[in-house]
Amino acid sequence: IHDLRSALAFCEETANTRLMLELVAGSGVLWTQLGLMNEQFRYIEKAINILDSSQTNDAAIETQLRSAYGAIAYNVHSGAGDNEGLRQFELAARSARDLDDSTMILRARSGVCAILTTQGLYTEANDVAAALRLEVGPDADSAVTRIFAQNSHYLGRHDDAFRFARQSLEAN
């Protein structure tokens, strides 16, 4: 983490925005595993501002940054970050579609489902998950059935919740 901090400081000092974007986009797991999401968020905000104000056109980096931003807004800033989290997840899904990257589409759209679920919008979350299954195909089955299981439980549809939970456990 100290090397990453030094590299990011170097990027800021030398205005090497491309390297900064790459470092921030690729370091999400490290920040999260060390429990430093608030610090990570400061760098992601800077990176998103650079992305939004420049002509940088790298869909892979954009997808990673926006998905990370959405997750942190949702996880760290709670309800106050929901709207920005939703926006960033939608932008991440758009750039993931440009890449035709089903894993990143799944990650971004699952983030939308998580936020909707915490807002008590269970049916809406299930609608997003159903659309995700149509868009991504069988690769989304495990995630989608988990979303359905959780939201069916919250909706009081316990038989459905159990059936979806079993399907999720049996999915590849």
Side-chain angles (χ1 to χ4, degrees):
I1 191 66
H2 300 302
D3 291 341
L4 177 59
R5 287 176 179 142
S6 294
L8 290 169
F10 170 80
C11 290
E12 288 181 303
E13 291 166 11
T14 61
N16 190 336
T17 56
R18 175 66 187 185
L19 181 57
M20 180 181 181
L21 292 175
E22 290 174 4
L23 288 169
V24 174
S27 62
V29 172
L30 178 62
W31 296 105
T32 303
Q33 287 185 342
L34 294 173
L36 300 171
M37 290 172 62
N38 282 317
E39 185 178 357
Q40 176 191 16
F41 189 69
R42 289 192 300 273
Y43 286 108
I44 287 179
E45 279 185 314
K46 289 177 186 179
I48 291 292
N49 287 334
I50 291 167
L51 201 63
D52 287 343
S53 65
S54 72
Q55 300 301 327
T56 303
N57 190 12
D58 187 320
I61 288 176
E62 179 176 359
T63 302
Q64 287 179 289
L65 288 172
R66 293 193 187 282
S67 286
Y69 191 109
I72 290 173
Y74 160 68
N75 285 301
V76 173
H77 298 286
S78 191
D82 284 359
N83 288 338
E84 188 59 21
L86 286 169
R87 187 174 88 80
Q88 292 298 331
F89 279 132
E90 293 294 351
L91 291 170
R94 182 189 70 196
S95 59
R97 286 183 191 102
D98 292 344
L99 294 168
D100 196 28
D101 186 329
S102 61
T103 300
M104 292 306 290
I105 294 169
L106 181 60
R107 180 179 179 201
R109 299 298 286 159
S110 294
V112 170
C113 291
I115 292 173
L116 294 174
T117 297
T118 61
Q119 291 177 339
L121 301 171
Y122 312 123
T123 302
E124 292 85 345
N126 281 352
D127 291 345
V128 171
L132 178 60
R133 176 181 272 159
L134 291 174
E135 181 175 8
V136 173
D139 289 343
D141 283 347
S142 179
V144 168
T145 53
R146 280 187 308 226
I147 293 165
F148 286 167
Q150 181 179 17
N151 290 319
S152 294
H153 168 71
Y154 291 145
L155 288 165
R157 300 178 191 150
H158 301 294
D159 289 340
D160 289 341
F162 183 76
R163 180 174 47 85
F164 288 126
R166 181 158 311 283
Q167 285 175 3
S168 180
L169 290 171
E170 292 170 356
N172 293 341

